[in-house]
Amino acid sequence: MKQIFLVAGAYLLGSIPTGLLLARALGVDIRATGSGNIGATNVYRTLGRTVGIMTLVGDCLKGLVPVLVARRLGFDEAWVAAAGLAAFLGHVYTVFLRFKGGKGVATALGVFLGISPLAVLAALGVFFGVVAKWRYISLGSITAAAVMPVAVAVVEGKPLVVALTLAVSVLVIWKHRENIRRLREGTENKFKA
């Protein structure tokens, strides 16, 4: 029964729209500015570095905390994965915004940090390398998402963990469909430090 409550709690925690709440506290509806996304990149672009970083950290913690709690409670790997997946899906399909959430990159990062920190280091290296070379956050996120299942397979090797990582990565890439279109058209926003 504890496992079910943890998964439900993970989904609700994941559903908290960190960027939207921070933006509202500053009198801005983040969905009506910039790209209209509730994630850290749009918050950073619209409201500045500090609020963007706060959104990134908050969204990351939404994925990390349920995984760490599941591990701390001694749940088996299936329930740890379920808690992480629930938190991620909570962000992507948030109940608080009529199931319209963000792309889930930072929340996925938190889930992966709790499951395989070494694999995250590899994916972050790819992310920063892509962003440094081409200046597109979305391309860095897409590439890191594509690398993550391979990194987890190499580092962890557990089929369930690899399956979770693959599912989350595919959904992250799927949620970037518009970014992919803009990248192909040459109209995607470049990152400005």
Side-chain angles (χ1 to χ4, degrees), residues 14 37-42 55-64 84 87-93 101-113 120 123-124 127-128 131 136-146 148 168-177 179:
N37 195 294
I38 64 171
T41 302
N42 192 43
T55 301
L56 176 68
V57 169
D59 283 351
C60 189
L61 286 172
K62 294 187 317 186
L64 179 61
F88 171 74
L89 291 174
H91 180 87
V92 175
Y93 302 108
K103 293 175 183 145
V105 174
T107 304
L109 174 63
V111 170
F112 296 148
L113 273 172
V120 167
L124 282 175
F127 171 83
F128 287 118
V131 172
Y136 293 112
I137 295 285
S138 59
L139 184 59
S141 298
I142 292 163
T143 309
M148 197 63 203
V168 170
S169 293
V170 166
L171 192 50
V172 165
I173 293 167
W174 174 255
K175 294 292 281 183
H176 278 84
R177 294 183 313 278
N179 300 90

Side-chain angles (χ1 to χ4, degrees), residues 26-172:
L26 296 171
V28 176
D29 182 357
I30 199 67
R31 295 171 297 175
T33 60
S35 67
N37 195 294
I38 64 171
T41 302
N42 192 43
V43 171
Y44 174 90
R45 197 178 308 127
T46 306
L47 297 172
R49 182 178 311 213
T50 302
V51 184
I53 291 172
M54 289 170 62
T55 301
L56 176 68
V57 169
D59 283 351
C60 189
L61 286 172
K62 294 187 317 186
L64 179 61
V65 168
V67 169
L68 294 181
V69 169
R71 286 234 162 105
R72 178 80 174 159
L73 292 174
F75 295 157
D76 65 35
E77 208 63 45
W79 286 107
V80 173
L85 182 60
F88 171 74
L89 291 174
H91 180 87
V92 175
Y93 302 108
T94 173
V95 67
F96 301 120
L97 299 176
R98 297 187 179 140
F99 302 100
K100 294 178 183 174
K103 293 175 183 145
V105 174
T107 304
L109 174 63
V111 170
F112 296 148
L113 273 172
I115 289 175
S116 184
L118 287 175
V120 167
L121 287 176
L124 282 175
V126 168
F127 171 83
F128 287 118
V130 168
V131 172
K133 181 161 179 73
W134 289 287
R135 311 297 292 166
Y136 293 112
I137 295 285
S138 59
L139 184 59
S141 298
I142 292 163
T143 309
V147 165
M148 197 63 203
V150 175
V152 167
V154 169
V155 173
E156 302 295 327
K158 300 173 189 168
L160 182 64
V161 175
V162 173
L164 164 73
T165 307
L166 183 60
V168 170
S169 293
V170 166
L171 192 50
V172 165

